[in-house]
Amino acid sequence: MLMIIKKPLFIILLALCASPIIGAGTALIMGAAFAMLLGNPFAALSQKASKWLLKLAVVGLGFAVDFNQVIAVGKSSLVLTIVSITAIIGLGELLTQAFKLNRNTGVLISFGTAICGGSAIAAMAPVIKAKDHEVAVALGVVFMLNGLGLLLFPSIGHYFNLSQQQFGMWAALAIHDTSSVVGASATYGALALSIATTVKLTRAMWIIPYTALAGVYFRSEEKASIPVFIIGFVLAALINSYFPAYSSLWELINSAAKQLLVVTLFLIGSGLSVAVIKQAGFKPFLMAILLWIVVSGVILLLILDGLL
């Protein structure tokens, strides 16, 4: 009987998330609550669909971004990006040793924290020959922190009276996954969303050089490739920038992408389970939390002091 009720209820909630009445944060909470209380009746399908829908949503969001802004952000933040990514990975290595954590798990968590969460973890995993359970633990820990970031960051931003520009920068640099960065910034404002998306996806392009360096360090024959959704985002930004005559169409696509993101966040939330929490364990979660607190705290202080 419970299974019969669960399936239609899940579909109804998913349909609600496709409507404008449900926001990004609410969708994630709904999905997580449903999974924890009733269990996801479409777990495998939800996991597969969320990955593809997220990529489509990110590409669609590119239709609201000025390509010249992407280039400007990349140039202006070159030194900051290199220094911050390297520092985060270095700190992650120290914490991995301090907690006597599995090396591969520590590397994946550090890399995911430094660049862009799940995408960075997926790119690094084959390079360091990470095992399935190591990848699963890293993704589980990062996912849980993504949920916290999506819920906590807007409130913290309002508490410190951050402008939309400041919040967009902070969210992009301190929240792991692109999905949660977009979700948190979308609830803060349109300008915050634009800045956060641009900064985060510009940063995500650094997956390639850092995985290449890791390949040399770990003597791996695996080669990382740039995620296709990043290429799609850049192409969408190019189209938006150089074909302004069709701006109404680009706005329509962008609006659809925002709502698609809400649906995706519900599916991502529905992937949370007691099994994932147990598999992650205590040490990886504590290590990831300390790393995240230091990173987000330092970046917030730099923003408040006007250094970023």
Side-chain angles (χ1 to χ4, degrees):
M1 177 64 71
L2 183 59
M3 182 59 70
I4 296 175
I5 297 174
K6 278 199 300 184
K7 287 185 177 181
L9 181 58
F10 186 92
I11 294 171
I12 290 171
L13 292 177
L14 186 65
L16 282 174
C17 290
S19 69
I21 62 175
I22 302 295
T26 303
L28 185 72
I29 295 172
M30 282 170 52
F34 191 98
M36 296 293 288
L37 296 174
L38 299 176
N40 186 345
F42 307 103
L45 182 60
S46 295
Q47 184 178 18
K48 182 181 290 187
S50 65
K51 292 179 181 179
W52 286 102
L53 292 178
L54 173 60
K55 292 171 184 176
L56 285 174
V58 169
V59 172
L61 292 172
F63 283 97
V65 174
D66 184 347
F67 180 75
N68 295 317
Q69 185 182 21
V70 174
I71 298 300
V73 168
K75 288 181 178 178
S76 64
S77 62
L78 179 63
V79 175
L80 169 65
T81 300
I82 295 174
V83 171
S84 61
I85 291 176
T86 304
I88 293 168
I89 292 174
L91 177 59
E93 176 66 19
L94 292 176
L95 289 174
T96 298
Q97 294 179 16
F99 284 97
K100 296 181 180 179
L101 203 61
N102 173 283
R103 179 70 183 280
N104 283 349
T105 302
V107 169
L108 293 176
I109 290 174
S110 301
F111 197 63
T113 303
I115 302 184
C116 61
S119 298
I121 290 172
M124 179 62 81
V127 175
I128 64 174
K129 296 181 172 64
K131 298 176 181 178
D132 287 346
H133 73 274
E134 294 167 341
V135 177
V137 167
L139 288 173
V141 169
V142 166
F143 168 76
M144 292 171 71
L145 295 182
N146 278 332
L148 287 175
L150 183 57
L151 295 174
L152 296 178
F153 268 54
S155 297
I156 296 173
H158 287 302
Y159 177 81
F160 285 103
N161 199 29
L162 296 181
S163 66
Q164 287 200 36
Q165 183 172 357
Q166 289 175 319
F167 183 83
M169 178 67 73
W170 184 46
L173 297 179
I175 299 178
H176 301 77
D177 259 355
T178 303
S179 59
S180 292
V181 169
V182 173
S185 56
T187 63
Y188 209 81
L191 179 59
L193 174 62
S194 175
I195 292 171
T197 305
T198 302
V199 173
K200 190 64 176 180
L201 292 178
T202 302
R203 190 178 183 85
M205 295 179 187
W206 285 86
I207 287 176
I208 304 306
Y210 275 89
T211 47
L213 289 172
V216 173
Y217 182 79
F218 287 95
R219 298 180 181 179
S220 173
E221 296 179 357
E222 294 286 344
K223 304 297 181 184
S225 58
I226 196 165
V228 176
F229 75 89
I230 295 178
I231 297 174
F233 173 82
V234 173
L235 289 176
L238 274 169
I239 292 171
N240 175 60
S241 303
Y242 293 103
F243 295 95
Y246 302 96
S247 59
S248 58
L249 176 59
W250 311 148
E251 289 174 6
L252 181 63
I253 294 174
N254 180 252
S255 297
K258 289 179 181 178
Q259 205 57 50
L260 182 61
L261 178 67
V262 176
V263 173
T264 306
L265 288 173
F266 174 80
L267 293 175
I268 290 173
S270 69
L272 181 63
S273 66
V274 176
V276 170
I277 297 173
K278 287 182 177 179
Q279 187 178 34
F282 176 71
K283 284 187 177 180
F285 187 68
L286 184 57
M287 174 265 186
I289 269 206
L290 287 176
L291 181 61
W292 189 45
I293 288 174
V294 171
V295 170
S296 57
V298 169
I299 293 172
L300 179 58
L301 286 175
L302 291 174
I303 289 174
L304 290 173
D305 287 341
L307 299 177
L308 286 180

